[in-house]
Amino acid sequence: MNLSTLVKTNLIISNRESVNAILSYFLYALMSLFLVGLILFPLFIDAGADRNLGLTLFIPFLCLYDYMLTQAKLRAPSLVDRFPFSLFPVSRTRSLSLRFLLFLLDKRILFYLLPMLGVMIIFAAGGHFAEMLAALLLFAAMYLAMSAVFFLVYLMFRKLADRFGVRAAAQISSVPFVLVALLASAAHDKSAMVALIPIVSQFTNGFQEILASHIGAALLEGGYLFGVFLLGASLLLVVGLLVEEVAARNWIRLGTLTRMRVAETSRAAAPALVRRDEISLTTGERSFADDGGIYSREPAEPASRAGWHIVLVDWLVHQREEKILYLILLYPLMAIFGIIKLATRLHFELGSLILPIFVFTQILGFYFAENHFTGHGLRLSHIVLTPLDPFRFVFSKTLSTWGLLSLMNVFVCLFCGAYLDMSFNTLVHGTLYSLFLPLVLLQLANTLSLYSPGISRHPMISLVVIITLELILSAIYVLAMWVNLILGMFFVAVIFYASLFYSLPAWGRQLSRQAQILLEYRK
Amino acid sequence: MKAIELVGLKKSYRKGAKALDNLDMKVEHGTIMGFVGPNGAGKSTTINIIAGLVKKDEGEVRLLGRKIESSDHEYKRNVGFVLESPHYIDKLTAKEYLRFAATMYGIANRESERRIDELLDFLDLSGKKKERIESYSAGMKKKISLAAAFIHRPQILVLDEPLEAIDPVSAKIIKDNLRLMVRRGVTVLLSSHVLDTVEKFCDEIAILNKGKIVFQSTMEEIRAKLKDQLGQDTYSSLEEIFVSVVTEDGKTDVEKKLSWL
């Protein structure tokens, strides 16, 4: 096999496929910078020479950068896909290694590494070669570690999606992440970690002092983050398995108890039940209406059936999974923040790093729920086709709802902040956390739509309800934040959990209905 | 030794739908086997199993006397495929894609260039060889799939609707050349819904219905058998035979009409 021909072909495809993507990418970059700048620039002016604040402000930029990459479809070239190789006499292992090689040889991978390269350049320019090396090592280590964690999450998600359907799986999956984020918030003062740093430094002082202390501390910080996410993945597995077990039992019970009743249910009534539940308040679209019900929501070939190594590599390089692949790069970025923080002795809030986790896990959830397996809904992956499409995306329902609510929060934060004469840093944190609040509201709205399907039929009513709740929540949140930031977070978390708690019975009913429909379908 | 031998093939998809139900089929060397059946009969599933794209639940696939396991890939050196779902990369030009295909089959550069030029000329694509496949018409795209299936001089061709959307002139050229290849020992399994083509072009016909081969024989034998079974004297076309075989008790429901028209 002529490898140079393959590499050349890969480059040709990569170049041709990236033309639209790069354009979209820059448009996203410009728009994101504009939006974030619009919100934060006045604050930044007032901040003066507060370096700490500069780093804090940098976080949303990185989040948006990651999101831009995802939305700009900067994905692996088609040749990296499994399909083109499948008809040729190439073994599966060889095909996988070839595809992985081609994936690595795609020059666009630089885009994913750009934040890391940026940090390395900054360190190198300042003569901090030890930190530069640490950034590189940590990036690689975190990438691998997070790949493993997210691979587990991914498998679990697929399993849940197979069993419950995508929407329920997305919502179930979000629970452990919220738990993890809360744990991380609880460990906000990091007293244990701070106590550990001198021990590690002492241990490593036998080597070059500066190098060792920086790398040691950076690894500690990275280890802390990794531990948090590992815990999250474990929780996800445990919760997922428990839920699955409970549902499996209910399923059997339901099968025996309702079989007679199900037989009476008319087939015509079934899609109506599905439709009522599947109208999304987030997008206002019907997720499964096009295919007539829940029957085709499941992926054709579940990943869990193939060998784990095949699934792993396939998952890493397969273009349809690119969004998860890019998502995991967010976490190495957070590790880099750990390095910066410790290397520069700055004291910005680690809790700020939790924000992107909230945001992106929720986006992941919404994305999966609305688009991924169902192929219906917003279809983000189909949007970036022309230079105008990014604008269309910005004005799409999901993003505009989120954006509108976030902007409202910012104004509420600013207003309350000015009125209460809050410290500037607290105000900024409030503004950043306010990006998270709409997600809480959207969760509430979803819960509401489960209980009152009528609301989801009237987008204006739902919008008014959301906005009212949003205003009240923001005001209470800022007041709580004024007293104590953790208390504010706790308050929001309580609401979030309350909404989850109250939506669980509705999910149960939804699952029961799906089971009924499925039983009838199988007959 | 048969060129293609399918023994007891079974395949069920999720939700319990049986795609193949104990399918048995044999294709002689150097013949063209027409593979027909109604939509959802299992034709594409069978072809995808032969191509190694879908895993069978049970049964055996034997090609050129050799049992094919799911991990096998070497047999693809002797088989050319045109599948229902296109396998080309549409960002490439025809020449670039065929070069990629030739590389995958391990054909030396000089030889592959010669074959590519000849194939493009043969399929009337020379004038478009610098244009990307994405800009091609459906028929031209089908030609690219055919070219990729021919490029490594396979002994077996498995073709799913190979002439779909291809213009009559090109279709005739392709059919003539397929016939020539068959005379030289190549075996063709051709799936199509165009019964007229199958009837005139194939040596044997296998009719698949509900995952089973309901008839497999030469045209003459099928006619004779149906004449005995159904008591009809003549069959004017394969269409009649097909309709008789795939509908219950030979009673057709093709007369049904839309009430509002």
Side-chain angles (χ1 to χ4, degrees):
Chain A
M1 191 184 299
N2 190 340
L3 197 61
S4 71
T5 306
L6 275 185
V7 173
K8 206 187 288 177
T9 308
N10 192 47
L11 284 175
I12 291 169
I13 298 168
S14 171
N15 284 336
R16 290 177 189 166
E17 283 182 348
S18 65
V19 173
N20 282 343
I22 295 287
L23 186 61
S24 311
Y25 165 76
F26 282 119
L27 280 169
Y28 275 120
L30 281 174
M31 279 193 303
S32 306
L33 286 172
F34 176 72
L35 286 173
V36 176
L38 196 71
I39 296 166
L40 296 175
F41 187 70
L43 300 175
F44 196 67
I45 298 280
D46 286 348
D50 190 344
R51 295 165 70 203
N52 179 4
L53 184 68
L55 281 172
T56 309
L57 293 179
F58 195 53
I59 295 169
F61 282 91
L62 281 180
C63 298
L64 284 163
Y65 181 84
D66 184 84
Y67 197 59
M68 280 177 324
L69 284 178
T70 309
Q71 293 308 320
K73 288 180 82 180
L74 278 176
R75 63 189 189 191
S78 306
L79 200 56
V80 174
D81 199 356
R82 177 172 42 187
F83 211 48
F85 285 93
S86 55
L87 284 187
F88 300 110
V90 189
S91 71
R92 195 170 259 195
T93 317
R94 195 163 182 209
S95 153
L96 287 172
S97 48
L98 266 175
R99 287 161 56 204
F100 199 65
L101 177 74
L102 294 174
F103 174 71
L104 293 176
L105 288 175
D106 179 15
K107 63 182 186 308
R108 289 175 301 169
I109 204 167
L110 278 175
F111 279 107
Y112 317 131
L113 300 176
L114 214 56
M116 183 198 75
L117 292 174
V119 171
M120 287 176 69
I121 289 166
I122 291 167
F123 278 136
H128 300 288
F129 294 108
E131 286 84 348
M132 193 185 81
L133 185 66
L136 184 65
L137 287 174
L138 203 63
F139 191 94
M142 289 299 288
Y143 180 84
L144 289 173
M146 287 306 129
S147 298
V149 170
F150 269 81
F151 178 59
L152 285 175
V153 173
Y154 172 72
L155 280 186
M156 197 62 235
F157 185 86
R158 291 286 290 258
K159 211 167 167 51
L160 287 170
D162 282 352
R163 175 59 69 94
F164 301 116
V166 180
R167 193 183 188 86
Q171 298 196 347
I172 292 166
S173 306
S174 70
V175 177
F177 280 106
V178 177
L179 277 173
V180 167
L182 279 180
L183 283 174
S185 293
H188 203 242
D189 62 354
K190 305 180 291 296
S191 52
M193 198 170 69
V194 171
L196 275 174
I197 289 173
I199 302 169
V200 175
S201 299
Q202 211 170 26
F203 178 73
T204 52
N205 268 351
F207 303 99
Q208 295 168 1
E209 191 181 345
I210 299 170
L211 182 80
S213 62
H214 285 326
I215 291 181
L219 285 176
L220 189 69
E221 184 90 352
Y224 167 76
L225 286 173
F226 175 61
V228 166
F229 286 106
L230 198 62
L231 187 66
S234 314
L235 276 170
L236 180 69
L237 286 169
V238 172
V239 172
L241 285 171
L242 275 174
V243 173
E244 194 178 5
E245 181 60 30
V246 171
R249 284 180 188 182
N250 286 338
W251 198 280
I252 294 162
R253 192 167 53 83
L254 203 124
T256 49
L257 290 179
T258 62
R259 194 173 288 275
M260 295 302 289
R261 232 180 303 156
V262 165
E264 292 164 13
T265 312
S266 73
R267 203 157 202 193
L273 287 171
V274 175
R275 248 180 258 132
R276 193 174 68 166
D277 282 337
E278 298 305 337
I279 294 170
S280 163
L281 195 66
T282 324
T283 62
E285 292 179 38
R286 290 176 177 176
S287 301
F288 308 111
D290 293 358
D291 57 20
I294 61 167
Y295 313 128
S296 60
R297 71 170 54 179
E298 294 171 349
E301 288 290 329
S304 52
R305 283 190 183 174
W308 70 268
H309 60 292
I310 290 168
V311 179
L312 174 65
V313 181
D314 208 46
W315 170 73
L316 279 173
V317 299
H318 200 278
Q319 60 177 356
R320 269 187 266 173
E321 267 58 78
E322 83 269 25
K323 289 192 166 54
I324 310 176
L325 180 66
Y326 302 157
L327 192 77
I328 59 177
L329 293 174
L330 179 71
Y331 299 99
L333 295 181
M334 291 165 56
I336 292 167
F337 267 101
I339 300 170
I340 297 169
K341 181 189 165 194
L342 290 163
T344 54
R345 304 287 178 217
L346 286 175
H347 297 285
F348 62 91
E349 299 288 343
L350 189 67
S352 308
L353 301 180
I354 304 305
L355 174 73
I357 305 171
F358 272 127
V359 173
F360 280 95
T361 47
Q362 289 297 318
I363 286 172
L364 181 71
F366 283 122
Y367 170 72
F368 269 126
E370 303 299 337
N371 302 281
H372 194 67
F373 292 118
T374 61
H376 302 297
L378 194 61
R379 294 197 185 204
L380 299 185
S381 57
H382 291 181
I383 284 174
V384 189
L385 294 171
T386 69
L388 279 176
D389 279 335
F391 295 100
R392 205 178 300 163
F393 170 70
V394 165
F395 292 105
S396 68
K397 285 179 187 168
T398 302
L399 202 72
S400 55
T401 310
W402 185 27
L404 175 72
L405 297 177
S406 299
L407 269 172
M408 278 177 54
N409 280 340
V410 171
F411 288 124
V412 171
C413 279
L414 288 175
F415 177 77
C416 293
Y419 184 73
L420 296 168
D421 195 23
M422 287 161 64
S423 79
F424 187 73
N425 257 344
T426 313
L427 197 62
V428 171
H429 278 114
T431 310
L432 288 175
Y433 281 121
S434 66
L435 291 170
F436 161 68
L437 266 175
L439 297 171
V440 178
L441 263 297
L442 288 176
Q443 174 62 41
L444 270 174
N446 274 326
T447 308
L448 211 62
S449 71
L450 285 172
Y451 277 103
S452 311
I455 289 179
S456 58
R457 293 203 194 98
H458 303 285
M460 279 314 290
I461 296 177
S462 61
L463 198 65
V464 169
V465 171
I466 291 178
I467 289 172
T468 313
L469 282 168
E470 177 73 7
L471 284 168
I472 299 167
L473 260 180
S474 299
I476 299 174
Y477 174 66
V478 173
L479 281 169
M481 197 174 65
W482 184 47
V483 181
N484 189 312
L485 189 67
I486 300 294
L487 189 67
M489 277 299 290
F490 179 75
F491 174 75
V492 173
V494 165
I495 293 169
F496 190 83
Y497 273 104
S499 73
L500 277 180
F501 180 77
Y502 283 110
S503 60
L504 277 175
W507 288 343
R509 282 203 298 278
Q510 193 180 358
L511 280 174
S512 302
R513 282 193 212 111
Q514 287 171 2
Q516 282 186 342
I517 292 158
L518 198 65
L519 281 172
E520 193 211 7
Y521 177 72
R522 279 177 180 166
K523 275 170 183 273
Chain B
M1 187 179 73
K2 308 288 179 190
I4 302 171
E5 208 171 344
L6 309 176
V7 185
L9 270 193
K10 284 185 184 175
K11 175 70 189 174
S12 295
Y13 289 109
R14 305 177 79 207
K15 303 161 198 164
K18 273 186 187 174
L20 296 180
D21 186 12
N22 224 8
L23 184 141
D24 292 299
M25 186 171 75
K26 289 172 183 170
V27 185
E28 295 286 345
H29 266 289
T31 57
I32 303 176
M33 166 70 84
F35 195 42
V36 293
N39 293 331
K43 300 186 297 293
S44 294
T45 302
T46 309
I47 286 174
N48 284 337
I49 287 175
I50 297 172
L53 301 178
V54 171
K55 275 187 183 173
K56 60 187 186 297
D57 296 339
E58 281 178 49
E60 274 185 22
V61 175
R62 289 180 174 275
L63 297 179
L64 303 168
R66 191 175 152 225
K67 188 179 169 187
I68 306 300
E69 300 293 347
S70 58
S71 56
D72 281 346
H73 53 89
E74 276 302 314
Y75 76 93
K76 289 177 185 173
R77 288 192 193 283
N78 296 317
V79 190
F81 294 98
V82 170
L83 299 185
E84 196 180 25
S85 326
H87 266 64
Y88 46 77
I89 302 163
D90 59 7
K91 291 286 174 194
L92 295 176
T93 64
K95 194 160 188 173
E96 285 163 351
Y97 176 65
L98 291 177
R99 202 176 279 148
F100 163 71
T103 300
M104 296 308 296
Y105 285 120
I107 304 168
N109 274 357
R110 189 174 293 177
E111 177 62 16
S112 72
E113 288 301 313
R114 190 179 68 82
R115 288 188 196 180
I116 289 166
D117 287 338
E118 212 172 321
L119 272 168
L120 291 175
D121 191 41
F122 166 70
L123 292 166
D124 204 19
L125 289 172
S126 296
K128 299 266 185 183
K129 64 183 176 186
K130 288 183 180 172
E131 288 177 28
R132 292 185 201 174
I133 299 174
E134 64 189 351
S135 69
Y136 285 11
S137 68
M140 288 160 77
K141 285 176 179 172
K142 199 57 126 182
K143 286 179 182 176
I144 291 296
S145 298
L146 274 165
F150 291 163
I151 199 165
H152 57 302
R153 240 180 2 201
Q155 291 181 50
I156 297 174
L157 281 166
V158 179
L159 312 174
D160 198 348
E161 297 285 1
L163 303 174
E164 192 181 37
I166 291 181
D167 62 275
V169 177
S170 298
K172 187 180 182 315
I173 294 169
I174 291 165
K175 280 190 282 186
D176 289 347
N177 277 273
L178 279 173
R179 182 55 69 190
L180 190 68
M181 289 161 83
V182 167
R183 278 204 288 274
R184 288 177 184 164
V186 173
T187 307
V188 180
L189 177 65
L190 186 147
S191 163
S192 177
H193 282 111
V194 187
L195 297 178
D196 193 43
T197 303
V198 174
E199 186 176 11
K200 288 173 185 162
F201 183 57
C202 297
D203 302 316
E204 272 191 84
I205 291 160
I207 301 179
L208 187 69
N209 191 28
K210 295 177 182 169
K212 284 181 181 172
I213 297 289
V214 284
F215 276 102
Q216 183 189 340
S217 196
T218 60
M219 274 302 296
E220 287 71 27
E221 284 171 344
I222 290 172
R223 280 186 176 141
K225 197 179 281 182
L226 286 168
K227 187 180 171 185
D228 290 344
Q229 282 180 359
L230 303 176
Q232 293 185 29
D233 292 333
T234 54
Y235 286 92
S236 58
S237 68
L238 178 63
E239 191 178 62
E240 278 190 45
I241 299 167
F242 180 84
V243 171
S244 300
V245 168
V246 300
T247 52
E248 283 178 17
D249 304 325
K251 289 174 187 168
T252 64
D253 200 13
V254 293
E255 299 298 321
K256 61 184 175 186
K257 291 183 173 66
L258 293 167
S259 62
W260 44 271
L261 282 180

